Amino acid sequence: MTEQTGALADLTVVDASTLFAGPMTAMHLGDLGADVIKVEHPTRSDPARSHGPEKDGQNLWSKTLGRNKRTVRLDLSSSDGSEAFKRLAARADVVIENFRPDTLERWGLSYRQLSSDNAGLVLARVTGFGQLGPYRRRPGFGTLAEAMSGFAAATGEPDGPPMLPPFGLADGIASLATAFAIMSALHQREQTGHGQVVDVAIVEPIMAMLGPQITRWDQLRDLQPRLGNRSANNAPRNTYLTSDDHWVAVSTSSQSIAERVLKLVGHPEVLDEPWFGSGHQRAQHADELDEAVASWIGRHTRAEVLDAFERAEAAVAPVFTAEDIVDDPHLRALGTIRRVDDPDLGEIAIQAPPFRLSDGDSPTRFTGRDPGHDTVAVLAELGYDDDQIARMLDNGSAAGS
């Protein structure tokens, strides 16, 4: 085990979760220096390892999602595997799991049992619908959360169907919420001396990001409509095509920005319209405002548009692809993308943590490893001798890479 550095270098995290929300939570903690130990079944690895593109037989998503994680293969339903997991939990600060409710209890790994040897343990349980309520046992994925949260109903064109994102949006939001909840529980541990259970239903964090839709319905019996790229709160707000076939996004959330944009595109006369004085009223004239902005942008290249908007102190951004992101000078200055050596693929690009600390971020120590890469080493750290490890490998309660 290499020496840990970073803000969370004193934490040990056991990641027994699969797919996205739980593993992404552990990824965030590992990015800040925590020693993360990923636990997978001896024969059924995390399904995330088969998601997305591959190069030379290497799953690229796993290289990112599994970064800074040591990997162990244990059968938690077996007596030997369950015992090894108890030893892991006894020395850990955090355990993250996303099994269906009561699964850990069935294996003799309830929070009561795990915390009996480690009163300070924080157990984060990340499932589609949480540990309570009539849906608790349903299979739950981010797609279902995106549907049930109100996100899909409010996303898409006005005359089109509800839209789902082409990536794990709800899982990603849930991972940040879970990391925050874990750190809150660890902070409370400083006062109380004991840990607790963190219960995250993936449907809830994304719902919390969707603004006042619940209060709007409660008070007005009004549903947020689908508006495509427009907003009910301001206009112009949309994506627009430049003369050299690039897309840019324009936002006018503040009144002063709206005024600058319309002056820039050659329509200062609309500033005198009585409806131009508020974002909500401007949104009711979105067709007219979109036509003015789209016409001007369509006569200029992306470089010309960005330069003119910057000089006018108006809000615009290019619609980036991954190719644009890795080449952008501002994102390079922020350190948004890191290049890390990988034993299989050479140097690869991955995202850095989504913030910076003034005392310095921890480095990405290594990319995602094969399942069971560290099984033998971790079992030895837990006090198992060579004969015991060999027996566990032979009987299938543990496995290496």
Side-chain angles (χ1 to χ4, degrees), residues 376-390:
V376 172
V378 170
L379 288 175
E381 291 173 15
L382 296 176
Y384 289 89
D385 61 32
D386 291 346
D387 290 340
Q388 290 172 315
I389 294 172

Side-chain angles (χ1 to χ4, degrees), residues 148-160:
M148 289 184 62
S149 64
F151 173 85
T155 303
E157 296 297 328
D159 57 351

